[in-house]
Amino acid sequence: QVQLVESGGGLVQPGGSLRLSCAASRIIFSVNAMAWYRQAPGKERELVAAISSGGITNYADSVKGRFTISRLQANNTVYLQMNNLKPEDTAVYYCNRRNNPMFSWGKGTLVTVSS
């Protein structure tokens, strides 16, 4: 069974950076498009960034130019490098497949951007 374990969140000041990691056991990235999602308090979960099975990336307009998604098959990990963080980036971040059917969701990792 696929397991997704997100890590790397924390408290950061506006303008700061964080790198999130998603350990994705038993997933072959060459046949699975992966994505990072986030859910802010009181809001629905939204797609933040995705990487196709062929390595093509795309981003939500709100994070374009600031976030970078990448993956490393050797350690079954998907990354999200987040730069120039803003208070509106505060949310719980999750990784999962880009398209249905989704794997079981992990617990996510909390990112708080505040001074």
Side-chain angles (χ1 to χ4, degrees):
Q1 185 169 344
V2 170
Q3 287 187 321
L4 301 168
V5 180
E6 301 90 351
S7 62
L11 173 64
V12 62
Q13 292 185 342
S17 298
L18 285 174
R19 188 175 82 152
L20 306 184
S21 299
C22 171
S25 64
R26 304 181 64 178
I27 297 177
I28 301 174
F29 294 144
S30 62
V31 296
N32 283 281
M34 298 296 294
W36 281 94
Y37 302 82
R38 68 185 180 188
Q39 186 167 20
K43 295 188 177 181
E44 293 192 354
R45 190 175 290 165
E46 63 174 349
L47 177 70
V48 174
I51 183 166
S52 74
S53 57
I56 297 172
T57 59
N58 60 78
Y59 301 90
D61 287 343
S62 58
V63 307
K64 203 170 291 184
R66 301 188 296 121
F67 290 12
T68 302
I69 186 172
S70 61
R71 66 189 186 192
L72 186 60
Q73 185 70 71
N75 61 6
N76 288 95
T77 302
V78 183
Y79 301 97
L80 185 68
Q81 177 67 43
M82 306 187 297
N83 298 327
N84 191 22
L85 283 160
K86 302 176 180 181
E88 52 263 41
D89 296 319
T90 295
V92 179
Y93 285 72
Y94 304 86
C95 71
N96 211 315
R97 297 180 77 180
R98 171 63 181 91
N99 302 303
N100 289 322
M102 295 292 185
F103 299 122
S104 296
W105 292 91
K107 294 181 179 180
T109 186
L110 175 62
V111 172
T112 303
V113 185
S114 175
S115 55

